[in-house]
Amino acid sequence: MSIRIALENPPEFYTNLDIMKGHVVLTLSRHETVGAIIVKLEGESRTALGIPNDNSSTGVPHREMPSAGDIIYENHKILYKVAQAFPNENAPPQAGPIVLNPGQHHFPFQFKFPFNNSCGNAEAMAKIGGVVNAGGFAPGAGLFGLGGIRVMDGTKQLMYSHVTKTLPPSFTGFPGEAEIRYYVKVTIQRPGLFKENWRYQIGLKFLPIEPPRPPKSNQEAYARRPFAFAPRTPPSTAPPSTKKRTSFFGRSTTPQPPPPVGGSSNPSSSAEASLATPPSIEMSARLPHPAILTCNKSIPLRLIAKKLVPSNGEVYLVAIQIDLIGKTIVRCQDLVNNELNRWVIVSRQGLSIPVSKPDDAVGTEVVLPDAIWNNVPLPNTVMPSFQTCNLSREYQLEVKLGLAWGKPDGANHASNSSSFFGGSNRNKGKNLANIPQEIHLPLNFSNVQVFSGLTPPAELVEAMRQGRTRPARKQTGPNGRPPQQQPQPQPNIPPQGVASSSHPPAPVLPPRPVAATPQNDASEAALYPPQLRPGQDAPPYDDAPPTYEEAMAEEMTGPVFPSTARPAYSGVTDENAASSLPEKN
C-alpha cells in the first residue's frame, strides 16, 4: 500500500483565489475495504512561549498561571477546508464501505484558497466538531455510530482572541517559537474495530495577494537630519625652536625649519583655507507616501542634499548602507515576545560622490544618483507585512550615510573602509587640517510596509470599492430606512379652537426597536466591526476584505496569476519538514 498526493501544475507558491487541483493516488497490493477518502486543506499559525520567572506582568493570578519554565501554546486554524474525494457526490448517502481491487486508483479533488482566515469566524468554528457532535465526529452511519467525516473540534478556537485579516504567508525562522504552515492532508477511512486509518500529507508555500495600493501622488515620506562639520584647527605659524639638542651620539644638532607646504612660502594662505566656514548640509531620505516596499524589487529611495550655509568646502558621500529591519511580534495567550531580523540591502564604501560644491548657492538641493541601490532587489527571504491572530510582522528602514568634508584620497580611503562604523588609526600623526573630516549620519523610517507584489485583479478591486462605499449594515424598517428615520405617525391632536373632548389626543409612544434579523446577527457583523478613526467613513485600504469581497472572489474562476509572473519567495526552508515547535502535552 502507498498513498501519494499529486498536484496539477503546482506553482512555486499558492496565493488567494488560486484553485488547487490534484489527485489522491492510492496503490494497493490486495483487496481493501474503504469507507471514504477525505482531503483537507489546512493552515496553522502556531506559537509557543516559555513562562518567565516573573509572570506577575501577565495580569493573571499566579494560581491560574503555569509555573516558571513551562511552555504555553496557541494554535490557530487560519485555513480549514474539507472535501470528500471518495465516494463522490453522486453516491447514495447511506452507501456502505466499498472494496477496492489491487492496483492503482486515482481520486480527484479541488480547493479554492479564500481571502481571509477562517478562525475569526466564531459562528463557523462553533459549528465544527464539538458543538454539533461531541468528539469531533460528523453525523453518519458507521461503526458504533461514529461514522462519517472526522473533523477538528472548532470549539477550541473559541478560547483564543482572533482578528479577521488576509491569510498570512508561510513563515518559519524561529524554531520552537513560531511558524505558519499550510498542508494538504488525506485520510483513508478503513471501517473496522482493529483497522487504523491511513493518513498522508504534503506541505506547500503560500504568499497572499497584496491589498489595493493607494493612488499615486507627489507626496513623500521623509527622514531628514541637518549636520555641520567641526571647524578645522589652523596649523601653527610660530617659528620653529632654535634650541640646540644633543643627539644620541653626543653631537649637538640644530633643528631645521620644515619646507613650505605646497611650494608657497606664505603660511597665511593655508591658514585662511583651514579657517574657512565649515559646510552645513541637510540630508533627507525620501520614499513615496505611504512608504511601501515590494518583495523582490528595489527600494524607491531618493537621497537629497540641501546646502544650509555659504561655504567653499566640498562635501562628498563616501559610504552608504541600507538595512531593512523586520520586527516579528509573537503572542501566545498573555505572553508577547518581539524578534528582530536585519537584512543588509546595500553596503558600499570607498565612494566619492559630490554632495555640495563651492559655487552652489545656499538652499541648493542636489539629488544623489540612485545607481547604487536602484538595481538591488529585496532578498527573497523578506515576506510581506502581515497580521494574524497570534503573529504579525512590521518593518523599518535604516539608511546610514558617510559624508566627508574634502575629497577623500581614493587609495587611502578604500583602505580605511572599516572606519564606516568605527574609528581608524591610519591618520595618526598627520596634520589634521589636511585630513578629510567624516561624519556618519543615520536616517530611519520607523514604519515601512512590504507588499507581496501580487496585485489583486481589477474586478476584485472594483468590488471592494463598491462594497466599502455601501453603508454599514444597520437595522432597517419595512421601507428600508433605519428605525430612527422611520416616519412616525402624527398624534391625533385637534386643531386650535376645537374641543379636546370630541378628539382626544393619542398618546405619543417612543419608536419600537426593530428585532435583529439573522442577517444582522451580532455573530456575523458585530463581532469584529471595522475600527474607524475620527472622521473616517470607511475602513482604510489595508483592512482585510469584508464578506462582500469574499463572495465576489468565489465567483472568479481561472488562474489569477500565472506561475511565470510570480516572484521568488523563500519564507519556508522546507515546507515538508517536521514542525519545530514542541508538542503540547
Side-chain angles (χ1 to χ4, degrees):
M1 182 274 303
S2 67
I3 307 174
R4 183 168 58 91
I5 298 177
L7 301 178
E8 296 182 5
N9 302 321
E12 183 179 357
F13 58 83
Y14 288 91
T15 186
N16 307 99
L17 308 182
D18 273 351
I19 297 178
M20 172 193 292
K21 295 182 179 181
H23 292 79
V24 177
V25 182
L26 176 62
T27 305
L28 299 176
S29 59
R30 61 182 182 181
H31 293 84
E32 287 288 348
T33 303
V34 175
I37 298 179
I38 309 304
V39 185
K40 301 177 183 179
L41 176 61
E42 296 186 17
E44 293 181 335
S45 176
R46 303 179 60 193
T47 55
L49 292 176
I51 300 296
N53 294 329
D54 182 14
N55 56 5
S56 59
S57 60
T58 58
V60 180
H62 288 275
R63 65 178 181 272
E64 300 180 7
M65 286 290 295
S67 59
D70 292 346
I71 299 178
I72 58 177
Y73 305 85
E74 190 166 334
N75 184 1
H76 289 258
K77 289 286 185 178
I78 56 178
L79 177 60
Y80 192 80
K81 286 195 170 187
V82 182
Q84 180 170 309
F86 176 80
N88 56 23
E89 300 176 353
N90 300 326
Q94 300 298 331
I98 300 176
V99 178
L100 298 181
N101 296 325
Q104 191 175 80
H105 304 268
H106 294 258
F107 306 97
F109 65 88
Q110 176 177 314
F111 291 106
K112 185 171 185 178
F113 285 86
F115 244 107
N116 298 339
N117 58 315
S118 58
C119 59
N121 191 340
E123 183 179 2
M125 289 293 105
K127 293 180 179 179
I128 299 178
V131 172
V132 180
N133 297 86
F137 287 86
L143 186 63
F144 303 118
L146 298 180
I149 303 174
R150 189 182 190 279
V151 294
M152 72 171 185
D153 188 357
T155 57
K156 295 182 180 179
Q157 297 294 311
L158 303 180
M159 300 185 300
Y160 305 134
S161 59
H162 302 276
V163 296
T164 303
K165 293 289 184 179
T166 306
L167 285 173
S170 301
F171 163 64
T172 56
F174 301 113
E177 182 177 357
E179 66 180 14
I180 297 176
R181 290 180 178 270
Y182 292 86
Y183 313 91
V184 178
K185 300 180 179 180
V186 59
T187 301
I188 299 179
Q189 297 180 349
R190 304 171 64 207
L193 183 60
F194 300 105
K195 289 187 177 181
E196 184 180 0
N197 292 340
W198 293 334
R199 291 179 173 87
Y200 183 76
Q201 73 177 36
I202 60 172
L204 54 92
K205 295 180 182 179
F206 181 85
L207 190 67
I209 291 177
E210 66 181 31
R213 296 179 182 247
K216 293 184 178 180
S217 65
N218 295 329
Q219 297 181 352
E220 290 183 320
Y222 61 87
R224 61 187 180 187
R225 177 172 296 183
F227 68 94
F229 289 95
R232 289 176 174 172
T233 303
S236 176
T237 58
S241 175
T242 58
K243 183 178 179 180
K244 294 184 178 181
R245 296 180 300 176
T246 303
S247 67
F248 179 76
F249 297 100
R251 304 175 67 179
S252 61
T253 59
T254 302
Q256 301 294 328
V261 179
S264 174
S265 60
N266 186 9
S268 62
S269 59
S270 59
E272 292 177 358
S274 301
L275 292 175
T277 303
S280 180
I281 307 293
E282 180 188 79
M283 294 297 302
S284 63
R286 303 186 184 184
L287 292 172
H289 178 75
I292 297 176
L293 308 182
T294 306
C295 293
N296 292 277
K297 291 188 178 181
S298 59
I299 301 176
L301 178 69
R302 292 205 309 154
L303 291 179
I304 300 178
K306 182 179 180 180
K307 190 172 184 178
L308 299 180
V309 298
S311 175
N312 294 330
E314 295 182 337
V315 181
Y316 293 86
L317 177 69
V318 296
I320 181 174
Q321 180 167 320
I322 303 176
D323 294 347
L324 183 64
I325 303 172
K327 179 182 178 182
T328 306
I329 303 175
V330 182
R331 186 179 62 82
C332 190
Q333 299 184 21
D334 295 319
L335 299 180
V336 178
N337 187 32
N338 296 329
E339 299 284 353
L340 295 180
N341 296 87
R342 183 182 292 267
W343 292 267
V344 179
I345 309 301
V346 172
S347 181
R348 294 286 301 275
Q349 298 166 357
L351 305 175
S352 182
I353 300 176
V355 171
S356 177
K357 298 180 180 179
D359 53 350
D360 289 341
V362 177
T364 302
E365 292 186 350
V366 178
V367 180
L368 275 64
D370 59 355
I372 299 176
W373 63 86
N374 190 31
N375 296 323
V376 181
L378 296 182
N380 60 2
T381 55
V382 176
M383 69 181 66
S385 307
F386 72 91
Q387 179 184 1
T388 188
C389 305
N390 55 346
L391 282 170
S392 62
R393 168 63 67 88
E394 303 172 353
Y395 286 99
Q396 300 178 7
L397 188 66
E398 186 179 74
V399 181
K400 300 178 183 179
L401 304 177
L403 300 158
W405 176 12
K407 189 172 184 179
D409 187 358
N412 293 336
H413 188 75
S415 63
N416 190 36
S417 58
S418 61
S419 65
F420 183 55
F421 296 105
S424 176
N425 295 326
R426 73 176 180 90
N427 296 323
K428 187 175 181 180
K430 293 186 179 182
N431 188 358
L432 297 180
N434 300 326
I435 298 175
Q437 188 181 147
E438 293 188 13
I439 287 181
H440 300 150
L441 200 66
L443 301 173
N444 299 326
F445 292 89
S446 60
N447 186 13
V448 175
Q449 292 181 298
V450 177
F451 282 9
S452 63
L454 300 176
T455 308
E459 298 84 356
L460 183 61
V461 175
E462 183 63 25
M464 296 171 69
R465 291 176 181 174
Q466 295 178 4
R468 285 172 181 162
T469 54
R470 292 184 175 185
R473 295 180 179 178
K474 299 179 181 179
Q475 298 177 359
T476 59
N479 58 357
R481 297 182 181 180
Q484 296 80 1
Q485 300 179 5
Q486 293 294 325
Q488 302 298 330
Q490 297 295 330
N492 190 8
I493 300 176
Q496 294 183 358
V498 179
S500 61
S501 59
S502 59
H503 298 279
V508 180
L509 301 178
R512 180 177 296 179
V514 180
T517 59
Q519 290 79 8
N520 295 327
D521 191 16
S523 62
E524 178 181 359
L527 273 177
Y528 306 102
Q531 302 298 320
L532 303 180
R533 296 181 180 179
Q536 282 187 338
D537 298 330
Y541 68 90
D542 58 346
D543 282 358
T547 308
Y548 179 70
E549 285 82 339
E550 287 276 6
M552 293 298 299
E554 290 296 331
E555 296 179 1
M556 297 182 182
T557 58
V560 180
F561 301 99
S563 301
T564 57
R566 305 193 180 194
Y569 177 61
S570 180
V572 178
T573 304
D574 185 4
E575 58 270 24
N576 290 311
S579 175
S580 62
L581 270 70
E583 294 295 334
K584 184 177 180 180
N585 296 331

